[in-house]
mmCIF file of all heavy atoms in Angstrom:
data_model
loop_
_atom_site.group_PDB
_atom_site.id
_atom_site.type_symbol
_atom_site.label_atom_id
_atom_site.label_comp_id
_atom_site.label_asym_id
_atom_site.label_seq_id
_atom_site.Cartn_x
_atom_site.Cartn_y
_atom_site.Cartn_z
ATOM 1 N N GLU A 244 21.118 92.911 166.590
ATOM 2 C CA GLU A 244 20.334 91.747 166.742
ATOM 3 C C GLU A 244 19.658 91.404 165.484
ATOM 4 O O GLU A 244 19.522 90.219 165.111
ATOM 5 C CB GLU A 244 19.132 92.070 167.816
ATOM 6 C CG GLU A 244 18.262 90.936 168.114
ATOM 7 C CD GLU A 244 17.242 91.231 169.231
ATOM 8 O OE1 GLU A 244 17.355 92.255 169.829
ATOM 9 O OE2 GLU A 244 16.389 90.274 169.441
ATOM 10 N N GLU A 245 19.269 92.436 164.671
ATOM 11 C CA GLU A 245 18.693 92.142 163.348
ATOM 12 C C GLU A 245 19.581 91.410 162.462
ATOM 13 O O GLU A 245 19.168 90.415 161.744
ATOM 14 C CB GLU A 245 18.329 93.454 162.733
ATOM 15 C CG GLU A 245 17.725 93.389 161.369
ATOM 16 C CD GLU A 245 17.458 94.709 160.690
ATOM 17 O OE1 GLU A 245 17.745 95.748 161.287
ATOM 18 O OE2 GLU A 245 16.829 94.716 159.573
ATOM 19 N N GLN A 246 20.858 91.743 162.456
ATOM 20 C CA GLN A 246 21.827 91.029 161.614
ATOM 21 C C GLN A 246 22.031 89.627 162.069
ATOM 22 O O GLN A 246 22.084 88.670 161.282
ATOM 23 C CB GLN A 246 23.212 91.757 161.530
ATOM 24 C CG GLN A 246 24.169 90.980 160.698
ATOM 25 C CD GLN A 246 25.554 91.663 160.599
ATOM 26 O OE1 GLN A 246 25.722 92.825 161.026
ATOM 27 N NE2 GLN A 246 26.563 90.949 160.082
ATOM 28 N N PHE A 247 22.065 89.391 163.377
ATOM 29 C CA PHE A 247 22.238 87.976 163.814
ATOM 30 C C PHE A 247 21.109 87.101 163.313
ATOM 31 O O PHE A 247 21.337 86.027 162.771
ATOM 32 C CB PHE A 247 22.202 87.982 165.460
ATOM 33 C CG PHE A 247 22.284 86.591 165.983
ATOM 34 C CD1 PHE A 247 23.534 86.069 166.378
ATOM 35 C CD2 PHE A 247 21.198 85.795 166.175
ATOM 36 C CE1 PHE A 247 23.722 84.813 166.931
ATOM 37 C CE2 PHE A 247 21.298 84.515 166.647
ATOM 38 C CZ PHE A 247 22.547 84.071 167.068
ATOM 39 N N PHE A 248 19.794 87.514 163.475
ATOM 40 C CA PHE A 248 18.722 86.751 163.005
ATOM 41 C C PHE A 248 18.561 86.679 161.580
ATOM 42 O O PHE A 248 18.113 85.723 161.054
ATOM 43 C CB PHE A 248 17.441 87.247 163.657
ATOM 44 C CG PHE A 248 17.366 86.927 165.174
ATOM 45 C CD1 PHE A 248 17.589 87.834 166.160
ATOM 46 C CD2 PHE A 248 17.144 85.567 165.587
ATOM 47 C CE1 PHE A 248 17.579 87.548 167.485
ATOM 48 C CE2 PHE A 248 17.081 85.203 166.930
ATOM 49 C CZ PHE A 248 17.255 86.246 167.864
ATOM 50 N N SER A 249 19.107 87.736 160.845
ATOM 51 C CA SER A 249 19.143 87.698 159.448
ATOM 52 C C SER A 249 20.055 86.568 158.971
ATOM 53 O O SER A 249 19.763 85.723 158.080
ATOM 54 C CB SER A 249 19.507 89.023 158.773
ATOM 55 O OG SER A 249 19.693 88.888 157.374
ATOM 56 N N ASN A 250 21.282 86.505 159.589
ATOM 57 C CA ASN A 250 22.237 85.468 159.252
ATOM 58 C C ASN A 250 21.736 84.118 159.657
ATOM 59 O O ASN A 250 21.884 83.068 158.878
ATOM 60 C CB ASN A 250 23.568 85.712 160.037
ATOM 61 C CG ASN A 250 24.357 86.910 159.346
ATOM 62 O OD1 ASN A 250 23.994 87.320 158.302
ATOM 63 N ND2 ASN A 250 25.290 87.308 160.082
ATOM 64 N N LEU A 251 21.088 84.018 160.738
ATOM 65 C CA LEU A 251 20.559 82.718 161.182
ATOM 66 C C LEU A 251 19.495 82.220 160.271
ATOM 67 O O LEU A 251 19.460 81.013 159.984
ATOM 68 C CB LEU A 251 19.964 82.911 162.622
ATOM 69 C CG LEU A 251 19.361 81.588 163.240
ATOM 70 C CD1 LEU A 251 20.449 80.467 163.361
ATOM 71 C CD2 LEU A 251 18.700 81.910 164.584
ATOM 72 N N SER A 252 18.603 83.101 159.793
ATOM 73 C CA SER A 252 17.589 82.629 158.844
ATOM 74 C C SER A 252 18.210 82.088 157.569
ATOM 75 O O SER A 252 17.707 81.167 157.047
ATOM 76 C CB SER A 252 16.598 83.881 158.574
ATOM 77 O OG SER A 252 17.304 84.836 157.786
ATOM 78 N N VAL A 253 19.285 82.716 157.057
ATOM 79 C CA VAL A 253 19.966 82.191 155.900
ATOM 80 C C VAL A 253 20.555 80.823 156.172
ATOM 81 O O VAL A 253 20.524 79.918 155.320
ATOM 82 C CB VAL A 253 21.086 83.233 155.428
ATOM 83 C CG1 VAL A 253 21.840 82.605 154.318
ATOM 84 C CG2 VAL A 253 20.453 84.511 154.970
ATOM 85 N N LEU A 254 21.224 80.676 157.340
ATOM 86 C CA LEU A 254 21.715 79.381 157.715
ATOM 87 C C LEU A 254 20.693 78.280 157.723
ATOM 88 O O LEU A 254 20.935 77.170 157.228
ATOM 89 C CB LEU A 254 22.385 79.476 159.063
ATOM 90 C CG LEU A 254 23.740 80.281 159.153
ATOM 91 C CD1 LEU A 254 24.162 80.529 160.670
ATOM 92 C CD2 LEU A 254 24.842 79.401 158.527
ATOM 93 N N LEU A 255 19.565 78.627 158.243
ATOM 94 C CA LEU A 255 18.487 77.579 158.360
ATOM 95 C C LEU A 255 17.833 77.289 156.964
ATOM 96 O O LEU A 255 17.382 76.226 156.693
ATOM 97 C CB LEU A 255 17.452 78.026 159.352
ATOM 98 C CG LEU A 255 17.914 78.222 160.781
ATOM 99 C CD1 LEU A 255 16.731 78.569 161.666
ATOM 100 C CD2 LEU A 255 18.585 76.964 161.308
ATOM 101 N N LYS A 256 17.877 78.290 156.125
ATOM 102 C CA LYS A 256 17.304 78.139 154.782
ATOM 103 C C LYS A 256 18.236 77.323 153.865
ATOM 104 O O LYS A 256 17.765 76.482 153.075
ATOM 105 C CB LYS A 256 16.921 79.499 154.195
ATOM 106 C CG LYS A 256 16.280 79.315 152.713
ATOM 107 C CD LYS A 256 15.890 80.671 152.184
ATOM 108 C CE LYS A 256 15.343 80.573 150.707
ATOM 109 N NZ LYS A 256 14.909 81.904 150.159
ATOM 110 N N TRP A 257 19.496 77.598 153.883
ATOM 111 C CA TRP A 257 20.453 77.100 152.844
ATOM 112 C C TRP A 257 21.281 75.973 153.438
ATOM 113 O O TRP A 257 22.088 75.429 152.634
ATOM 114 C CB TRP A 257 21.270 78.219 152.318
ATOM 115 C CG TRP A 257 20.398 79.225 151.572
ATOM 116 C CD1 TRP A 257 19.984 80.440 152.052
ATOM 117 C CD2 TRP A 257 19.879 79.123 150.289
ATOM 118 N NE1 TRP A 257 19.198 81.037 151.043
ATOM 119 C CE2 TRP A 257 19.138 80.319 149.936
ATOM 120 C CE3 TRP A 257 19.965 78.097 149.291
ATOM 121 C CZ2 TRP A 257 18.469 80.465 148.787
ATOM 122 C CZ3 TRP A 257 19.269 78.274 148.108
ATOM 123 C CH2 TRP A 257 18.568 79.513 147.844
ATOM 124 N N SER A 258 21.248 75.754 154.708
ATOM 125 C CA SER A 258 22.051 74.601 155.184
ATOM 126 C C SER A 258 21.206 73.360 155.349
ATOM 127 O O SER A 258 20.013 73.458 155.132
ATOM 128 C CB SER A 258 22.625 74.952 156.572
ATOM 129 O OG SER A 258 21.691 74.773 157.612
ATOM 130 N N PRO A 259 21.722 72.190 155.697
ATOM 131 C CA PRO A 259 20.973 71.021 155.840
ATOM 132 C C PRO A 259 20.096 70.988 157.208
ATOM 133 O O PRO A 259 19.422 69.963 157.358
ATOM 134 C CB PRO A 259 22.017 69.862 155.936
ATOM 135 C CG PRO A 259 23.275 70.437 155.333
ATOM 136 C CD PRO A 259 23.196 71.929 155.681
ATOM 137 N N PHE A 260 20.205 72.056 157.979
ATOM 138 C CA PHE A 260 19.520 72.060 159.294
ATOM 139 C C PHE A 260 18.364 73.019 159.348
ATOM 140 O O PHE A 260 18.606 74.193 159.003
ATOM 141 C CB PHE A 260 20.566 72.382 160.299
ATOM 142 C CG PHE A 260 21.803 71.396 160.244
ATOM 143 C CD1 PHE A 260 22.979 71.841 159.568
ATOM 144 C CD2 PHE A 260 21.743 70.112 160.799
ATOM 145 C CE1 PHE A 260 24.021 71.047 159.572
ATOM 146 C CE2 PHE A 260 22.840 69.246 160.616
ATOM 147 C CZ PHE A 260 23.961 69.637 160.055
ATOM 148 N N LEU A 261 17.226 72.455 159.766
ATOM 149 C CA LEU A 261 15.993 73.201 159.633
ATOM 150 C C LEU A 261 15.688 74.135 160.769
ATOM 151 O O LEU A 261 14.959 75.072 160.706
ATOM 152 C CB LEU A 261 14.844 72.216 159.481
ATOM 153 C CG LEU A 261 14.945 71.253 158.256
ATOM 154 C CD1 LEU A 261 13.836 70.256 158.350
ATOM 155 C CD2 LEU A 261 14.887 71.972 156.990
ATOM 156 N N THR A 262 16.260 73.868 161.965
ATOM 157 C CA THR A 262 16.021 74.686 163.183
ATOM 158 C C THR A 262 17.343 75.087 163.821
ATOM 159 O O THR A 262 18.327 74.486 163.605
ATOM 160 C CB THR A 262 15.120 73.877 164.158
ATOM 161 O OG1 THR A 262 15.975 72.781 164.645
ATOM 162 C CG2 THR A 262 13.877 73.404 163.560
#
Side-chain angles (χ1 to χ4, degrees):
E244 182 177 354
E245 179 184 3
Q246 181 179 345
F247 179 96
F248 285 103
S249 176
N250 287 349
L251 180 60
S252 68
V253 173
L254 286 167
L255 299 182
K256 179 179 179 180
W257 296 101
S258 81
F260 305 99
L261 302 175
T262 65

